Amino acid sequence: MNLQSKKYKIQKGDTLKSVAVKFNINEYDLKSFHNTYCNIEDLIGIDFPKHLTELIVPSSELIKEEDQLNSPKPVRLGVKEKLDFFPASVNKNYGVLIVLENGNDSQTIKYEINLRYIRHEEKNKIFELNRISKVFINDEEADSIADVLAVKVAQVLYPLQILIDEYGSFSGIANYEQISERWGNVKEKIYDEYEGEWVEKYIELNEEVLNEKESIEFSLLGDYFIRTYFNRIYCEYPENKSKTSDIQFPVLNDVSDINYTVKTEIEEFYDESNFIVLNQNGVINDERSKEDLESKFDFPFYANPDSTYVLAEGTYRGKYFLNPNDRSIEAAYAEASVELEIAERVKISIANLNPKYNLNIQETDSKIFIGEKKELQKQNHFLID
């Protein structure tokens, strides 16, 4: 017997189940604990052996410790209540689903993408994005000339290295020279496969973007994966693990981002998979009127003090599940809408294709270390400050 156990004298009428209830543990754990420390002749099978008079049970301190380990663990933030990001080991494949709704019509886009951390450069972190699957539009591989050309041109960008600022927001690209070189090769192949005035015009329009680094960066502001994944979530949450801020999100074609005022809240405890959960809810708070947005204006024209105007309505909703070790995204969902004459809505779902749901949390010297079950890893970047 050890210090974490004690002896219980079996009373008349006691059963394995009734004693387990007394100690607030299940029958299997009680039997297993006794059999670990008892003599061979005192092993418990289905129930107590007839000769058994004493049962070896966990001490109250051990039961309390087990209860504490099994109780929900609070999420801890860093200095100034900041949600920090430790991406050094990030190399994940994600499935991406985008749903574009225009009134009763909708279009789906599906693909898979790899996200890999490259290096740290001044205040920016550099990640590499690489498409690892074909693009499926409405569950079918792109087959029209327009769709095929769009996919071919988009592939020029990959592998794409992007700059992410200290708050987890997209701030630029890091491998423009490689993209420019790939464009020359892809353009030649397109001319070899297609011809005609329409193709010439399509190449010309895309070349205007691809020939300038700043133009590519501007176009990537409309990339739904980048805008959802790198959505400025790694920041301070001073209001009891919450904050209210403006989020700009691309919803309408050929119109600059819609501004939403959004409240982001971090759930107090890790969820059942030990993920950190963020919830976002907000409404449109844009200077432009409904008519401005209908007219595809990037600035308020009809919305001015000298006219009567109606502001557009719409909502923003998001939910993020973050890995407890590096705070990278395991799954995310974002949805933004604008209620115009024809309502428009975009929905983005991102999911890790190789998730681990068996993460375990262990308290060590008032710090929380997290690793996989049965193989607790105590590495520096697993430390949650």
PDB file of all heavy atoms in Angstrom, residues 110-122:
ATOM      1  N   LYS A 110     -14.525  24.416 -53.469  1.00  0.00           N
ATOM      2  CA  LYS A 110     -13.833  23.536 -52.523  1.00  0.00           C
ATOM      3  C   LYS A 110     -12.403  23.296 -52.996  1.00  0.00           C
ATOM      4  O   LYS A 110     -12.158  23.103 -54.185  1.00  0.00           O
ATOM      5  CB  LYS A 110     -14.547  22.188 -52.400  1.00  0.00           C
ATOM      6  CG  LYS A 110     -15.941  22.244 -51.821  1.00  0.00           C
ATOM      7  CD  LYS A 110     -16.544  20.844 -51.779  1.00  0.00           C
ATOM      8  CE  LYS A 110     -17.972  20.867 -51.271  1.00  0.00           C
ATOM      9  NZ  LYS A 110     -18.584  19.502 -51.279  1.00  0.00           N
ATOM     10  N   TYR A 111     -11.488  23.284 -52.062  1.00  0.00           N
ATOM     11  CA  TYR A 111     -10.108  22.908 -52.368  1.00  0.00           C
ATOM     12  C   TYR A 111      -9.391  22.587 -51.060  1.00  0.00           C
ATOM     13  O   TYR A 111      -9.917  22.817 -49.961  1.00  0.00           O
ATOM     14  CB  TYR A 111      -9.377  24.020 -53.133  1.00  0.00           C
ATOM     15  CG  TYR A 111      -9.289  25.348 -52.416  1.00  0.00           C
ATOM     16  CD1 TYR A 111      -8.234  25.625 -51.539  1.00  0.00           C
ATOM     17  CD2 TYR A 111     -10.245  26.342 -52.627  1.00  0.00           C
ATOM     18  CE1 TYR A 111      -8.147  26.844 -50.896  1.00  0.00           C
ATOM     19  CE2 TYR A 111     -10.160  27.558 -51.984  1.00  0.00           C
ATOM     20  CZ  TYR A 111      -9.111  27.806 -51.123  1.00  0.00           C
ATOM     21  OH  TYR A 111      -9.032  29.018 -50.478  1.00  0.00           O
ATOM     22  N   GLU A 112      -8.181  22.049 -51.195  1.00  0.00           N
ATOM     23  CA  GLU A 112      -7.341  21.767 -50.045  1.00  0.00           C
ATOM     24  C   GLU A 112      -6.067  22.584 -50.156  1.00  0.00           C
ATOM     25  O   GLU A 112      -5.571  22.831 -51.263  1.00  0.00           O
ATOM     26  CB  GLU A 112      -7.007  20.270 -49.965  1.00  0.00           C
ATOM     27  CG  GLU A 112      -8.243  19.408 -49.722  1.00  0.00           C
ATOM     28  CD  GLU A 112      -7.939  17.926 -49.761  1.00  0.00           C
ATOM     29  OE1 GLU A 112      -6.738  17.556 -49.899  1.00  0.00           O
ATOM     30  OE2 GLU A 112      -8.881  17.123 -49.661  1.00  0.00           O
ATOM     31  N   ILE A 113      -5.552  23.003 -49.004  1.00  0.00           N
ATOM     32  CA  ILE A 113      -4.393  23.886 -49.008  1.00  0.00           C
ATOM     33  C   ILE A 113      -3.477  23.541 -47.846  1.00  0.00           C
ATOM     34  O   ILE A 113      -3.942  23.118 -46.776  1.00  0.00           O
ATOM     35  CB  ILE A 113      -4.848  25.364 -48.937  1.00  0.00           C
ATOM     36  CG1 ILE A 113      -3.724  26.311 -49.335  1.00  0.00           C
ATOM     37  CG2 ILE A 113      -5.398  25.721 -47.552  1.00  0.00           C
ATOM     38  CD1 ILE A 113      -4.206  27.726 -49.646  1.00  0.00           C
ATOM     39  N   ASN A 114      -2.171  23.681 -48.074  1.00  0.00           N
ATOM     40  CA  ASN A 114      -1.190  23.474 -47.010  1.00  0.00           C
ATOM     41  C   ASN A 114      -0.708  24.821 -46.503  1.00  0.00           C
ATOM     42  O   ASN A 114      -0.409  25.727 -47.285  1.00  0.00           O
ATOM     43  CB  ASN A 114       0.000  22.658 -47.526  1.00  0.00           C
ATOM     44  CG  ASN A 114       1.125  22.556 -46.498  1.00  0.00           C
ATOM     45  OD1 ASN A 114       2.086  23.309 -46.533  1.00  0.00           O
ATOM     46  ND2 ASN A 114       0.991  21.622 -45.576  1.00  0.00           N
ATOM     47  N   LEU A 115      -0.646  24.941 -45.186  1.00  0.00           N
ATOM     48  CA  LEU A 115      -0.126  26.151 -44.549  1.00  0.00           C
ATOM     49  C   LEU A 115       1.101  25.762 -43.741  1.00  0.00           C
ATOM     50  O   LEU A 115       1.040  24.880 -42.889  1.00  0.00           O
ATOM     51  CB  LEU A 115      -1.180  26.780 -43.634  1.00  0.00           C
ATOM     52  CG  LEU A 115      -0.709  27.976 -42.800  1.00  0.00           C
ATOM     53  CD1 LEU A 115      -0.446  29.180 -43.699  1.00  0.00           C
ATOM     54  CD2 LEU A 115      -1.733  28.333 -41.732  1.00  0.00           C
ATOM     55  N   ARG A 116       2.228  26.429 -44.018  1.00  0.00           N
ATOM     56  CA  ARG A 116       3.479  26.080 -43.355  1.00  0.00           C
ATOM     57  C   ARG A 116       4.201  27.347 -42.909  1.00  0.00           C
ATOM     58  O   ARG A 116       4.326  28.306 -43.672  1.00  0.00           O
ATOM     59  CB  ARG A 116       4.362  25.280 -44.313  1.00  0.00           C
ATOM     60  CG  ARG A 116       5.688  24.817 -43.745  1.00  0.00           C
ATOM     61  CD  ARG A 116       6.349  23.810 -44.678  1.00  0.00           C
ATOM     62  NE  ARG A 116       6.756  24.418 -45.932  1.00  0.00           N
ATOM     63  CZ  ARG A 116       7.985  24.900 -46.172  1.00  0.00           C
ATOM     64  NH1 ARG A 116       8.912  24.857 -45.238  1.00  0.00           N
ATOM     65  NH2 ARG A 116       8.281  25.418 -47.358  1.00  0.00           N
ATOM     66  N   TYR A 117       4.670  27.331 -41.656  1.00  0.00           N
ATOM     67  CA  TYR A 117       5.450  28.459 -41.152  1.00  0.00           C
ATOM     68  C   TYR A 117       6.855  28.407 -41.734  1.00  0.00           C
ATOM     69  O   TYR A 117       7.491  27.350 -41.765  1.00  0.00           O
ATOM     70  CB  TYR A 117       5.517  28.412 -39.626  1.00  0.00           C
ATOM     71  CG  TYR A 117       6.415  29.466 -39.011  1.00  0.00           C
ATOM     72  CD1 TYR A 117       6.003  30.785 -38.907  1.00  0.00           C
ATOM     73  CD2 TYR A 117       7.690  29.130 -38.554  1.00  0.00           C
ATOM     74  CE1 TYR A 117       6.834  31.758 -38.352  1.00  0.00           C
ATOM     75  CE2 TYR A 117       8.523  30.087 -37.994  1.00  0.00           C
ATOM     76  CZ  TYR A 117       8.092  31.393 -37.894  1.00  0.00           C
ATOM     77  OH  TYR A 117       8.918  32.355 -37.350  1.00  0.00           O
ATOM     78  N   ILE A 118       7.362  29.553 -42.205  1.00  0.00           N
ATOM     79  CA  ILE A 118       8.693  29.616 -42.817  1.00  0.00           C
ATOM     80  C   ILE A 118       9.711  30.253 -41.877  1.00  0.00           C
ATOM     81  O   ILE A 118      10.700  29.643 -41.490  1.00  0.00           O
ATOM     82  CB  ILE A 118       8.663  30.402 -44.143  1.00  0.00           C
ATOM     83  CG1 ILE A 118       7.689  29.749 -45.130  1.00  0.00           C
ATOM     84  CG2 ILE A 118      10.061  30.481 -44.750  1.00  0.00           C
ATOM     85  CD1 ILE A 118       8.085  28.363 -45.569  1.00  0.00           C
ATOM     86  N   ARG A 119       9.468  31.496 -41.503  1.00  0.00           N
ATOM     87  CA  ARG A 119      10.439  32.194 -40.662  1.00  0.00           C
ATOM     88  C   ARG A 119       9.820  33.472 -40.093  1.00  0.00           C
ATOM     89  O   ARG A 119       8.728  33.869 -40.471  1.00  0.00           O
ATOM     90  CB  ARG A 119      11.697  32.547 -41.460  1.00  0.00           C
ATOM     91  CG  ARG A 119      11.474  33.537 -42.589  1.00  0.00           C
ATOM     92  CD  ARG A 119      12.738  33.762 -43.406  1.00  0.00           C
ATOM     93  NE  ARG A 119      12.538  34.747 -44.456  1.00  0.00           N
ATOM     94  CZ  ARG A 119      12.033  34.459 -45.666  1.00  0.00           C
ATOM     95  NH1 ARG A 119      11.672  33.211 -45.952  1.00  0.00           N
ATOM     96  NH2 ARG A 119      11.880  35.419 -46.571  1.00  0.00           N
ATOM     97  N   HIS A 120      10.583  34.087 -39.201  1.00  0.00           N
ATOM     98  CA  HIS A 120      10.198  35.362 -38.603  1.00  0.00           C
ATOM     99  C   HIS A 120      11.085  36.444 -39.221  1.00  0.00           C
ATOM    100  O   HIS A 120      12.284  36.257 -39.355  1.00  0.00           O
ATOM    101  CB  HIS A 120      10.410  35.312 -37.091  1.00  0.00           C
ATOM    102  CG  HIS A 120       9.760  36.437 -36.358  1.00  0.00           C
ATOM    103  ND1 HIS A 120       8.702  36.270 -35.509  1.00  0.00           N
ATOM    104  CD2 HIS A 120      10.012  37.757 -36.359  1.00  0.00           C
ATOM    105  CE1 HIS A 120       8.339  37.443 -35.003  1.00  0.00           C
ATOM    106  NE2 HIS A 120       9.120  38.352 -35.503  1.00  0.00           N
ATOM    107  N   GLU A 121      10.481  37.552 -39.606  1.00  0.00           N
ATOM    108  CA  GLU A 121      11.229  38.635 -40.243  1.00  0.00           C
ATOM    109  C   GLU A 121      10.762  39.966 -39.678  1.00  0.00           C
ATOM    110  O   GLU A 121       9.659  40.424 -39.967  1.00  0.00           O
ATOM    111  CB  GLU A 121      11.008  38.585 -41.758  1.00  0.00           C
ATOM    112  CG  GLU A 121      11.968  39.432 -42.561  1.00  0.00           C
ATOM    113  CD  GLU A 121      11.808  39.192 -44.055  1.00  0.00           C
ATOM    114  OE1 GLU A 121      12.417  38.241 -44.570  1.00  0.00           O
ATOM    115  OE2 GLU A 121      11.044  39.951 -44.685  1.00  0.00           O
ATOM    116  N   GLU A 122      11.600  40.570 -38.831  1.00  0.00           N
ATOM    117  CA  GLU A 122      11.243  41.793 -38.110  1.00  0.00           C
ATOM    118  C   GLU A 122       9.949  41.550 -37.326  1.00  0.00           C
ATOM    119  O   GLU A 122       9.873  40.623 -36.526  1.00  0.00           O
ATOM    120  CB  GLU A 122      11.126  42.973 -39.078  1.00  0.00           C
ATOM    121  CG  GLU A 122      12.461  43.313 -39.745  1.00  0.00           C
ATOM    122  CD  GLU A 122      12.375  44.485 -40.687  1.00  0.00           C
ATOM    123  OE1 GLU A 122      11.248  44.943 -40.996  1.00  0.00           O
ATOM    124  OE2 GLU A 122      13.444  44.956 -41.130  1.00  0.00           O
TER     125      GLU A 122
END
